[in-house]
Amino acid sequence: MNRELLFDFLNEKAEQYEEPSFISSDPLSIPHRYQKKEDIEIAGFLSATIAWGQRITIVKNAERLMQLMDDSPYEFVTSHSEKDLLRLSRFVHRTLNGDDAMALISALGKLYKEDGGLEQVFSGEGSIFEKIALFHRVMRMHLPLERSAKHISDPVSGSAAKRINMFLRWMVRSPKKGVDFGIWKAISSAELICPLDVHTATVGRKLGLLHRTQNDWLAAEELTASLREIDGNDPVKFDFALFGLGVNREI
């Protein structure tokens, strides 16, 4: 496939897969339950944080996590008592256990009270790499358990930071298709890095968009650079195309 045909193909597939029917079986369905900005971003961050494994299990456990927070994530994060927090001790998703869940909620509470909230922490100068690295440092400072820091991606360690990049896509990209939210204005869609998982990486390599063999931060940057050649203003819209092509085994 020549470059012009490839670009047309990916634009077509991005248009096909970025549509509301995509939401129901995806962790993105959890923040879509809410209207308040802070509820959306907290539900989105927590759902993205546990987004590894089977999607049906991720959605089920994200729903459970919201229930344990009285289905009011912002109010719970900022106003919970120690007794309230203990409810989360029963939560488990793969290697993220109840202690981790309590630690993350506690850290988020401090982040909103002391640092202005999730969007504010990501609003500083620098690249997305630098912003995610800063977020990791801030959360690590607030976490009562050091072991829980492993659940927050750090690109400095080489991580592709797939879950944080996915969360940023949700918060930043335009809501015009009814999928992403576009509620954060401090970051532009042009800055975003494509979430790199087994599907996007495999399809990216098959299409010649990615040559690096490791699924790390450098691979995520390389893939995104290729996608910027197609659409420099919104390269991460092709996350839908690559993921959809991979999940549906079209390539």
Side-chain angles (χ1 to χ4, degrees), residues 122-137:
F122 280 100
S123 296
E125 296 295 323
S127 66
I128 290 294
F129 176 96
E130 292 168 315
K131 291 175 181 179
I132 295 175
L134 172 63
F135 174 69
H136 177 88
R137 293 197 302 272

mmCIF file with all atom_site columns, all heavy atoms in Angstrom, residues 122-137:
data_model
loop_
_atom_site.group_PDB
_atom_site.id
_atom_site.type_symbol
_atom_site.label_atom_id
_atom_site.label_alt_id
_atom_site.label_comp_id
_atom_site.label_asym_id
_atom_site.label_entity_id
_atom_site.label_seq_id
_atom_site.pdbx_PDB_ins_code
_atom_site.Cartn_x
_atom_site.Cartn_y
_atom_site.Cartn_z
_atom_site.occupancy
_atom_site.B_iso_or_equiv
_atom_site.pdbx_formal_charge
_atom_site.auth_seq_id
_atom_site.auth_comp_id
_atom_site.auth_asym_id
_atom_site.auth_atom_id
_atom_site.pdbx_PDB_model_num
ATOM 1   N N   . PHE A 1 122 ? -1.395 18.655 35.046 1.00 0.00 ? 122 PHE A N   1
ATOM 2   C CA  . PHE A 1 122 ? -0.958 18.415 33.666 1.00 0.00 ? 122 PHE A CA  1
ATOM 3   C C   . PHE A 1 122 ? -0.839 19.704 32.843 1.00 0.00 ? 122 PHE A C   1
ATOM 4   O O   . PHE A 1 122 ? -0.580 19.647 31.646 1.00 0.00 ? 122 PHE A O   1
ATOM 5   C CB  . PHE A 1 122 ? -1.939 17.474 32.962 1.00 0.00 ? 122 PHE A CB  1
ATOM 6   C CG  . PHE A 1 122 ? -1.735 16.010 33.286 1.00 0.00 ? 122 PHE A CG  1
ATOM 7   C CD1 . PHE A 1 122 ? -2.532 15.380 34.212 1.00 0.00 ? 122 PHE A CD1 1
ATOM 8   C CD2 . PHE A 1 122 ? -0.742 15.282 32.646 1.00 0.00 ? 122 PHE A CD2 1
ATOM 9   C CE1 . PHE A 1 122 ? -2.353 14.031 34.506 1.00 0.00 ? 122 PHE A CE1 1
ATOM 10  C CE2 . PHE A 1 122 ? -0.550 13.935 32.931 1.00 0.00 ? 122 PHE A CE2 1
ATOM 11  C CZ  . PHE A 1 122 ? -1.352 13.308 33.868 1.00 0.00 ? 122 PHE A CZ  1
ATOM 12  N N   . SER A 1 123 ? -1.036 20.854 33.475 1.00 0.00 ? 123 SER A N   1
ATOM 13  C CA  . SER A 1 123 ? -1.117 22.115 32.728 1.00 0.00 ? 123 SER A CA  1
ATOM 14  C C   . SER A 1 123 ? 0.187  22.877 32.615 1.00 0.00 ? 123 SER A C   1
ATOM 15  O O   . SER A 1 123 ? 0.219  23.964 32.032 1.00 0.00 ? 123 SER A O   1
ATOM 16  C CB  . SER A 1 123 ? -2.169 23.036 33.381 1.00 0.00 ? 123 SER A CB  1
ATOM 17  O OG  . SER A 1 123 ? -3.449 22.456 33.291 1.00 0.00 ? 123 SER A OG  1
ATOM 18  N N   . GLY A 1 124 ? 1.268  22.338 33.151 1.00 0.00 ? 124 GLY A N   1
ATOM 19  C CA  . GLY A 1 124 ? 2.528  23.067 33.136 1.00 0.00 ? 124 GLY A CA  1
ATOM 20  C C   . GLY A 1 124 ? 3.197  23.085 31.778 1.00 0.00 ? 124 GLY A C   1
ATOM 21  O O   . GLY A 1 124 ? 2.707  22.525 30.791 1.00 0.00 ? 124 GLY A O   1
ATOM 22  N N   . GLU A 1 125 ? 4.345  23.735 31.732 1.00 0.00 ? 125 GLU A N   1
ATOM 23  C CA  . GLU A 1 125 ? 5.130  23.809 30.501 1.00 0.00 ? 125 GLU A CA  1
ATOM 24  C C   . GLU A 1 125 ? 5.777  22.458 30.208 1.00 0.00 ? 125 GLU A C   1
ATOM 25  O O   . GLU A 1 125 ? 5.949  21.630 31.093 1.00 0.00 ? 125 GLU A O   1
ATOM 26  C CB  . GLU A 1 125 ? 6.211  24.881 30.639 1.00 0.00 ? 125 GLU A CB  1
ATOM 27  C CG  . GLU A 1 125 ? 5.673  26.294 30.820 1.00 0.00 ? 125 GLU A CG  1
ATOM 28  C CD  . GLU A 1 125 ? 4.921  26.796 29.599 1.00 0.00 ? 125 GLU A CD  1
ATOM 29  O OE1 . GLU A 1 125 ? 5.351  26.467 28.472 1.00 0.00 ? 125 GLU A OE1 1
ATOM 30  O OE2 . GLU A 1 125 ? 3.924  27.509 29.779 1.00 0.00 ? 125 GLU A OE2 1
ATOM 31  N N   . GLY A 1 126 ? 6.157  22.278 28.960 1.00 0.00 ? 126 GLY A N   1
ATOM 32  C CA  . GLY A 1 126 ? 6.897  21.081 28.599 1.00 0.00 ? 126 GLY A CA  1
ATOM 33  C C   . GLY A 1 126 ? 6.108  20.119 27.743 1.00 0.00 ? 126 GLY A C   1
ATOM 34  O O   . GLY A 1 126 ? 4.935  20.332 27.434 1.00 0.00 ? 126 GLY A O   1
ATOM 35  N N   . SER A 1 127 ? 6.773  19.041 27.365 1.00 0.00 ? 127 SER A N   1
ATOM 36  C CA  . SER A 1 127 ? 6.180  18.015 26.515 1.00 0.00 ? 127 SER A CA  1
ATOM 37  C C   . SER A 1 127 ? 5.244  17.127 27.302 1.00 0.00 ? 127 SER A C   1
ATOM 38  O O   . SER A 1 127 ? 5.206  17.167 28.538 1.00 0.00 ? 127 SER A O   1
ATOM 39  C CB  . SER A 1 127 ? 7.295  17.158 25.908 1.00 0.00 ? 127 SER A CB  1
ATOM 40  O OG  . SER A 1 127 ? 7.955  16.436 26.945 1.00 0.00 ? 127 SER A OG  1
ATOM 41  N N   . ILE A 1 128 ? 4.510  16.285 26.597 1.00 0.00 ? 128 ILE A N   1
ATOM 42  C CA  . ILE A 1 128 ? 3.657  15.301 27.270 1.00 0.00 ? 128 ILE A CA  1
ATOM 43  C C   . ILE A 1 128 ? 4.507  14.377 28.130 1.00 0.00 ? 128 ILE A C   1
ATOM 44  O O   . ILE A 1 128 ? 4.106  14.003 29.242 1.00 0.00 ? 128 ILE A O   1
ATOM 45  C CB  . ILE A 1 128 ? 2.841  14.490 26.241 1.00 0.00 ? 128 ILE A CB  1
ATOM 46  C CG1 . ILE A 1 128 ? 1.781  15.386 25.592 1.00 0.00 ? 128 ILE A CG1 1
ATOM 47  C CG2 . ILE A 1 128 ? 2.175  13.282 26.895 1.00 0.00 ? 128 ILE A CG2 1
ATOM 48  C CD1 . ILE A 1 128 ? 0.703  15.879 26.545 1.00 0.00 ? 128 ILE A CD1 1
ATOM 49  N N   . PHE A 1 129 ? 5.668  14.000 27.645 1.00 0.00 ? 129 PHE A N   1
ATOM 50  C CA  . PHE A 1 129 ? 6.600  13.194 28.449 1.00 0.00 ? 129 PHE A CA  1
ATOM 51  C C   . PHE A 1 129 ? 6.850  13.870 29.796 1.00 0.00 ? 129 PHE A C   1
ATOM 52  O O   . PHE A 1 129 ? 6.746  13.237 30.860 1.00 0.00 ? 129 PHE A O   1
ATOM 53  C CB  . PHE A 1 129 ? 7.916  13.023 27.688 1.00 0.00 ? 129 PHE A CB  1
ATOM 54  C CG  . PHE A 1 129 ? 8.995  12.293 28.445 1.00 0.00 ? 129 PHE A CG  1
ATOM 55  C CD1 . PHE A 1 129 ? 9.200  10.934 28.263 1.00 0.00 ? 129 PHE A CD1 1
ATOM 56  C CD2 . PHE A 1 129 ? 9.828  12.978 29.343 1.00 0.00 ? 129 PHE A CD2 1
ATOM 57  C CE1 . PHE A 1 129 ? 10.202 10.263 28.964 1.00 0.00 ? 129 PHE A CE1 1
ATOM 58  C CE2 . PHE A 1 129 ? 10.829 12.313 30.043 1.00 0.00 ? 129 PHE A CE2 1
ATOM 59  C CZ  . PHE A 1 129 ? 11.008 10.952 29.853 1.00 0.00 ? 129 PHE A CZ  1
ATOM 60  N N   . GLU A 1 130 ? 7.181  15.148 29.771 1.00 0.00 ? 130 GLU A N   1
ATOM 61  C CA  . GLU A 1 130 ? 7.488  15.883 30.998 1.00 0.00 ? 130 GLU A CA  1
ATOM 62  C C   . GLU A 1 130 ? 6.263  16.029 31.889 1.00 0.00 ? 130 GLU A C   1
ATOM 63  O O   . GLU A 1 130 ? 6.370  15.951 33.127 1.00 0.00 ? 130 GLU A O   1
ATOM 64  C CB  . GLU A 1 130 ? 8.068  17.254 30.642 1.00 0.00 ? 130 GLU A CB  1
ATOM 65  C CG  . GLU A 1 130 ? 9.441  17.169 29.987 1.00 0.00 ? 130 GLU A CG  1
ATOM 66  C CD  . GLU A 1 130 ? 9.882  18.491 29.377 1.00 0.00 ? 130 GLU A CD  1
ATOM 67  O OE1 . GLU A 1 130 ? 9.063  19.148 28.700 1.00 0.00 ? 130 GLU A OE1 1
ATOM 68  O OE2 . GLU A 1 130 ? 11.056 18.853 29.576 1.00 0.00 ? 130 GLU A OE2 1
ATOM 69  N N   . LYS A 1 131 ? 5.095  16.205 31.283 1.00 0.00 ? 131 LYS A N   1
ATOM 70  C CA  . LYS A 1 131 ? 3.879  16.369 32.073 1.00 0.00 ? 131 LYS A CA  1
ATOM 71  C C   . LYS A 1 131 ? 3.490  15.065 32.767 1.00 0.00 ? 131 LYS A C   1
ATOM 72  O O   . LYS A 1 131 ? 3.065  15.069 33.928 1.00 0.00 ? 131 LYS A O   1
ATOM 73  C CB  . LYS A 1 131 ? 2.748  16.869 31.172 1.00 0.00 ? 131 LYS A CB  1
ATOM 74  C CG  . LYS A 1 131 ? 2.962  18.298 30.691 1.00 0.00 ? 131 LYS A CG  1
ATOM 75  C CD  . LYS A 1 131 ? 1.900  18.744 29.703 1.00 0.00 ? 131 LYS A CD  1
ATOM 76  C CE  . LYS A 1 131 ? 2.185  20.165 29.229 1.00 0.00 ? 131 LYS A CE  1
ATOM 77  N NZ  . LYS A 1 131 ? 1.206  20.661 28.259 1.00 0.00 ? 131 LYS A NZ  1
ATOM 78  N N   . ILE A 1 132 ? 3.625  13.946 32.063 1.00 0.00 ? 132 ILE A N   1
ATOM 79  C CA  . ILE A 1 132 ? 3.308  12.659 32.683 1.00 0.00 ? 132 ILE A CA  1
ATOM 80  C C   . ILE A 1 132 ? 4.325  12.338 33.770 1.00 0.00 ? 132 ILE A C   1
ATOM 81  O O   . ILE A 1 132 ? 3.964  11.833 34.849 1.00 0.00 ? 132 ILE A O   1
ATOM 82  C CB  . ILE A 1 132 ? 3.268  11.536 31.627 1.00 0.00 ? 132 ILE A CB  1
ATOM 83  C CG1 . ILE A 1 132 ? 2.129  11.777 30.634 1.00 0.00 ? 132 ILE A CG1 1
ATOM 84  C CG2 . ILE A 1 132 ? 3.095  10.170 32.297 1.00 0.00 ? 132 ILE A CG2 1
ATOM 85  C CD1 . ILE A 1 132 ? 2.091  10.784 29.478 1.00 0.00 ? 132 ILE A CD1 1
ATOM 86  N N   . ALA A 1 133 ? 5.593  12.635 33.520 1.00 0.00 ? 133 ALA A N   1
ATOM 87  C CA  . ALA A 1 133 ? 6.625  12.397 34.531 1.00 0.00 ? 133 ALA A CA  1
ATOM 88  C C   . ALA A 1 133 ? 6.370  13.237 35.781 1.00 0.00 ? 133 ALA A C   1
ATOM 89  O O   . ALA A 1 133 ? 6.532  12.749 36.913 1.00 0.00 ? 133 ALA A O   1
ATOM 90  C CB  . ALA A 1 133 ? 8.002  12.708 33.950 1.00 0.00 ? 133 ALA A CB  1
ATOM 91  N N   . LEU A 1 134 ? 5.944  14.488 35.589 1.00 0.00 ? 134 LEU A N   1
ATOM 92  C CA  . LEU A 1 134 ? 5.618  15.347 36.728 1.00 0.00 ? 134 LEU A CA  1
ATOM 93  C C   . LEU A 1 134 ? 4.431  14.785 37.499 1.00 0.00 ? 134 LEU A C   1
ATOM 94  O O   . LEU A 1 134 ? 4.452  14.733 38.738 1.00 0.00 ? 134 LEU A O   1
ATOM 95  C CB  . LEU A 1 134 ? 5.307  16.765 36.246 1.00 0.00 ? 134 LEU A CB  1
ATOM 96  C CG  . LEU A 1 134 ? 4.772  17.722 37.328 1.00 0.00 ? 134 LEU A CG  1
ATOM 97  C CD1 . LEU A 1 134 ? 5.813  17.934 38.424 1.00 0.00 ? 134 LEU A CD1 1
ATOM 98  C CD2 . LEU A 1 134 ? 4.355  19.053 36.706 1.00 0.00 ? 134 LEU A CD2 1
ATOM 99  N N   . PHE A 1 135 ? 3.409  14.349 36.783 1.00 0.00 ? 135 PHE A N   1
ATOM 100 C CA  . PHE A 1 135 ? 2.239  13.772 37.439 1.00 0.00 ? 135 PHE A CA  1
ATOM 101 C C   . PHE A 1 135 ? 2.636  12.561 38.283 1.00 0.00 ? 135 PHE A C   1
ATOM 102 O O   . PHE A 1 135 ? 2.182  12.408 39.422 1.00 0.00 ? 135 PHE A O   1
ATOM 103 C CB  . PHE A 1 135 ? 1.202  13.366 36.391 1.00 0.00 ? 135 PHE A CB  1
ATOM 104 C CG  . PHE A 1 135 ? 0.022  12.624 36.969 1.00 0.00 ? 135 PHE A CG  1
ATOM 105 C CD1 . PHE A 1 135 ? -0.891 13.272 37.782 1.00 0.00 ? 135 PHE A CD1 1
ATOM 106 C CD2 . PHE A 1 135 ? -0.158 11.274 36.710 1.00 0.00 ? 135 PHE A CD2 1
ATOM 107 C CE1 . PHE A 1 135 ? -1.981 12.581 38.327 1.00 0.00 ? 135 PHE A CE1 1
ATOM 108 C CE2 . PHE A 1 135 ? -1.238 10.584 37.241 1.00 0.00 ? 135 PHE A CE2 1
ATOM 109 C CZ  . PHE A 1 135 ? -2.144 11.240 38.056 1.00 0.00 ? 135 PHE A CZ  1
ATOM 110 N N   . HIS A 1 136 ? 3.500  11.712 37.746 1.00 0.00 ? 136 HIS A N   1
ATOM 111 C CA  . HIS A 1 136 ? 3.971  10.550 38.500 1.00 0.00 ? 136 HIS A CA  1
ATOM 112 C C   . HIS A 1 136 ? 4.656  10.993 39.794 1.00 0.00 ? 136 HIS A C   1
ATOM 113 O O   . HIS A 1 136 ? 4.400  10.430 40.865 1.00 0.00 ? 136 HIS A O   1
ATOM 114 C CB  . HIS A 1 136 ? 4.925  9.714  37.650 1.00 0.00 ? 136 HIS A CB  1
ATOM 115 C CG  . HIS A 1 136 ? 5.499  8.547  38.378 1.00 0.00 ? 136 HIS A CG  1
ATOM 116 N ND1 . HIS A 1 136 ? 4.881  7.314  38.425 1.00 0.00 ? 136 HIS A ND1 1
ATOM 117 C CD2 . HIS A 1 136 ? 6.635  8.407  39.110 1.00 0.00 ? 136 HIS A CD2 1
ATOM 118 C CE1 . HIS A 1 136 ? 5.595  6.485  39.135 1.00 0.00 ? 136 HIS A CE1 1
ATOM 119 N NE2 . HIS A 1 136 ? 6.675  7.116  39.566 1.00 0.00 ? 136 HIS A NE2 1
ATOM 120 N N   . ARG A 1 137 ? 5.509  12.012 39.704 1.00 0.00 ? 137 ARG A N   1
ATOM 121 C CA  . ARG A 1 137 ? 6.234  12.490 40.892 1.00 0.00 ? 137 ARG A CA  1
ATOM 122 C C   . ARG A 1 137 ? 5.275  13.060 41.928 1.00 0.00 ? 137 ARG A C   1
ATOM 123 O O   . ARG A 1 137 ? 5.416  12.807 43.136 1.00 0.00 ? 137 ARG A O   1
ATOM 124 C CB  . ARG A 1 137 ? 7.279  13.541 40.500 1.00 0.00 ? 137 ARG A CB  1
ATOM 125 C CG  . ARG A 1 137 ? 8.423  13.007 39.662 1.00 0.00 ? 137 ARG A CG  1
ATOM 126 C CD  . ARG A 1 137 ? 9.603  13.972 39.653 1.00 0.00 ? 137 ARG A CD  1
ATOM 127 N NE  . ARG A 1 137 ? 9.260  15.292 39.143 1.00 0.00 ? 137 ARG A NE  1
ATOM 128 C CZ  . ARG A 1 137 ? 9.300  15.634 37.860 1.00 0.00 ? 137 ARG A CZ  1
ATOM 129 N NH1 . ARG A 1 137 ? 9.626  14.729 36.932 1.00 0.00 ? 137 ARG A NH1 1
ATOM 130 N NH2 . ARG A 1 137 ? 8.997  16.867 37.473 1.00 0.00 ? 137 ARG A NH2 1
#
